[in-house]
Every structure is written in C-alpha cells, then in structure tokens.
Amino acid sequence: MSRLATSLCGIPLRNPVLAASGTFAYGVELESVVDIEAIGGLVVKGLSREPMEGNPAPRLWEAEAGMINSIGLQNIGVRAFVSGKLPALRRFATPVFANIFGYAVEDYVEVARVLEDAEGLAGYELNVSCPNTKHGGIFFSSDPVSLAELVSAVRRVARRPLIVKLSPNVAQIEPLARAAEEAGADAVSLVNTFISLAIDARARRPRIGAGFGGLSGPAIKPIALRLVYQAAQAVRIPVVGLGGIASGEDAAEFLIAGAQAIQVGTASFWDPASTARIARELDQFLAREGVAGVREIVGTLRW
Ligand SMILES: Cc1cc2nc3c(=O)[nH]c(=O)nc-3n(C[C@H](O)[C@H](O)[C@H](O)COP(=O)(O)O)c2cc1C
C-alpha cells in the first residue's frame, strides 16, 4: 500500500487513516477484530490526571444518521494507561497518540508530563472541548485566548508532536485554528462532536442521562468537511480531518478539502474493523482515479 504512505508532523504513517479517540478504547482491546498494523495510527481514549467514572446512563443514543454520546470522559487515568496499556501497545509498529483532557491548564500539563516520561507514544492530541474551571467554565475550544494559554502551557512540557483537536461548536473556526498554531501546535484535528439534544416525547425527558450529548457519525460529515476546509485555508500546519467518515471515498473527500490525514470514529461502532477497511478502500479509490501517492490529492478542491 505504498500509494498510501504519508507522514504527519514528521511521523511516518503507512496510511493516513487513524482511529479516533473514544471510539477505539486504548487500542489493545480491538486487537482481535482489527489488524492494528493495517491502520495508519490510533488515538487512545482521552486521559485525565485521575481515573474518571463518567456520566450517568444512558450515555448513547442512535440518532438519525448519527449517534449522540455523553460518556463524560470516563477513563482509567493517565498513570494506569502508562503502566497497564502502553506496554501492550508498544508491540505494534503503529503510531499511538495519547488524547489528553482536563478542566484546568494544570491538569493538561500534568497529564502531558506523565506521558513525556513514558516510552512508545508518537504524539499527543489535546481535547480542548472542556470548560475551563479557572475561567468560570468558558470552553477552551471557543475562546482563542484561553486556547492559546492552554496550548502554550502544554507545549512547554511536550517534546513530542502536539495536535490540538478543535470543537465544531463555534461561529468561526479560523481564529481558533490560528490561535492553536501561534501557540505552538504542530497540527490541528477537527471535528469533535456537535452539542445536541435528543428528546423522548412520551417521557418528555432527554434521552441521554446527562441531558445534552455530542452528535457524531454520517449526519455531521458535510459540516465537518466545511470546517476542515476553512481550517486548512487558515493555517500552515497540517490538518487532520474527521467527522462521519465511513468509506474510503469519504476519507478522500476530507483529504481533498485539505486534511493530510483523517480519523474514523463512530463507524467503528457498527463495523469495528472499519479503519482498516477504509484504508483499503482509499487505496482502491486512488488507484481508480490514477493518483500515484495520497499526498497528491491533499487540498485539491476545485471550485
Ligand atoms: C463514544 C465516543 C467517545 C468519544 N470520546 C472522545 C474523547 O475521549 N476525546 C476526544 O477528543 N474525542 C472523543 N470523541 C469524539 C471522536 O473522536 C470524534 O471527534 C467524533 O466522534 C467525530 O467523528 P466521527 O463522526 O467519525 O465519530 C468521542 C466520540 C464518541 C462517539
């Protein structure tokens, strides 16, 4: 599959298809259903300083052409990840990215510090969709100043490549993508989920235990494509695109919009091997289109 060979922030990738955070556990759990060495890379579930139990059930709702979730960032905590999961992940020749989150800048910095001492990671992805508890709950992801403060602080401790994952719940993506770039991000990834509400009309209650949830899956793809295109126009660093990708041709659309790599999230819920399948389909798509190397189609949208 040399047609698919590429790189991201200097990290060689056998193909540009990565598994998205929160939909691929810590990687090792998926080993029996997907060939980990057939995918370009994987992003593990978001890691916090301490373990978190997450939100009350129900946490998932199947919406029209998509899925709403409010897992509440349940995870085993960064130290248990380093001691219990990372050693098994090191067996694979596939780049592993640690997804990091917190509610204050110090939380993110502490998680990054613990990961810096661990072997076997290719880089980090910062999930900035959390409310900043030190600034009255304003979301890092919607305020360029808070975002820049967070990215600079993590940048100071992180020697590995740093991807900042942007939220789509903003009026304008460009100022946020630029703020991440100027604060030292090596790449931006987008999109995270769209804040949404599903209602059970008979019970007159939200269908998700926590009330609101994040919408993902095919329903969001056209909006994600627009945001990826706009972000790619706004920054010089690489863009990683995601949101509703379920086929090789979907992946090609994000690359054409300007993404250098893509991630697959919700599709892994109905086809756990979808990441590897999408890489194969992308290869076939490029062959049919007469494209010799995947980089050639990045940012080639014609108006
Ligand atoms: C169940 C679930 C859990 C998720 N957990 C995380 C997470 O921990 N960190 C993160 O940055 N994104 C998380 N996401 C967002 C996905 O990585 C992805 O950005 C989003 O679902 C859009 O892509 P998709 O339509 O392919 O799923 C989660 C998504 C789902 C569906």
Side-chain angles (χ1 to χ4, degrees), residues 20-23 44-46 60 67 69 71 73 99 101 125 127 165 191-193 215-218 220 242-245 263-267 269:
S21 180
T23 63
V44 301
K45 175 67 187 164
L60 292 180
M67 190 172 88
N69 90 83
I71 305 298
L73 297 163
N99 182 278
F101 77 94
E125 182 180 65
N127 175 2
K165 183 167 181 181
V191 295
N192 211 314
T193 57
L215 180 66
S216 61
I220 69 171
L242 74 159
I245 296 175
Q263 294 180 8
V264 177
T266 303
F269 278 69

Side-chain angles (χ1 to χ4, degrees), residues 155-192:
R155 177 77 286 171
R156 280 195 286 277
V157 299
R159 280 163 302 177
R160 294 182 173 119
L162 182 61
I163 305 172
V164 175
K165 183 167 181 181
L166 301 174
S167 159
N169 302 300
V170 296
Q172 278 193 305
I173 202 71
E174 293 91 337
L176 293 148
R178 278 193 214 107
E181 178 177 45
E182 281 159 22
D186 296 298
V188 290
S189 56
L190 67 163
V191 295
N192 211 314

Side-chain angles (χ1 to χ4, degrees), residues 46-47 98-102 107-108 111-112 115 124-128 154:
L47 300 166
N99 182 278
I100 302 177
F101 77 94
D107 301 335
Y108 284 89
V111 176
L115 294 171
Y124 309 119
E125 182 180 65
L126 287 195
N127 175 2
V128 298
V154 176

Side-chain angles (χ1 to χ4, degrees), residues 45-187:
K45 175 67 187 164
L47 300 166
S48 51
R49 265 171 112 142
E50 304 300 333
M52 284 179 61
E53 286 190 358
N55 284 339
R59 294 165 161 201
L60 292 180
W61 173 252
E62 194 175 330
E64 296 79 1
M67 190 172 88
I68 299 179
N69 90 83
S70 182
I71 305 298
L73 297 163
Q74 179 187 5
N75 78 103
I76 58 175
V78 65
R79 287 180 182 81
F81 168 74
V82 168
S83 59
K85 303 287 181 183
L86 203 47
L89 276 173
R90 284 200 284 265
R91 288 183 287 125
F92 303 108
T94 298
V96 175
F97 295 84
N99 182 278
I100 302 177
F101 77 94
Y103 291 95
V105 172
E106 303 82 78
D107 301 335
Y108 284 89
V109 169
E110 179 57 20
V111 176
R113 243 194 220 119
V114 173
L115 294 171
E116 272 294 301
D117 291 335
E119 274 174 43
L121 287 169
Y124 309 119
E125 182 180 65
L126 287 195
N127 175 2
V128 298
S129 302
C130 304
N132 179 348
T133 44
K134 292 269 169 74
H135 287 270
I138 187 168
F139 287 83
F140 289 109
S141 57
S142 54
D143 175 37
V145 176
S146 304
L147 181 64
E149 186 196 342
L150 172 62
V151 175
S152 320
V154 176
R155 177 77 286 171
R156 280 195 286 277
V157 299
R159 280 163 302 177
R160 294 182 173 119
L162 182 61
I163 305 172
V164 175
K165 183 167 181 181
L166 301 174
S167 159
N169 302 300
V170 296
Q172 278 193 305
I173 202 71
E174 293 91 337
L176 293 148
R178 278 193 214 107
E181 178 177 45
E182 281 159 22
D186 296 298

Side-chain angles (χ1 to χ4, degrees), residues 12-37:
L13 303 180
R14 68 173 68 86
N15 66 60
V17 181
L18 318 185
S21 180
T23 63
F24 212 73
Y26 302 100
V28 278
E29 298 83 351
L30 275 288
E31 195 183 346
S32 60
V33 284
V34 55
D35 178 2
I36 305 285
E37 299 207 339

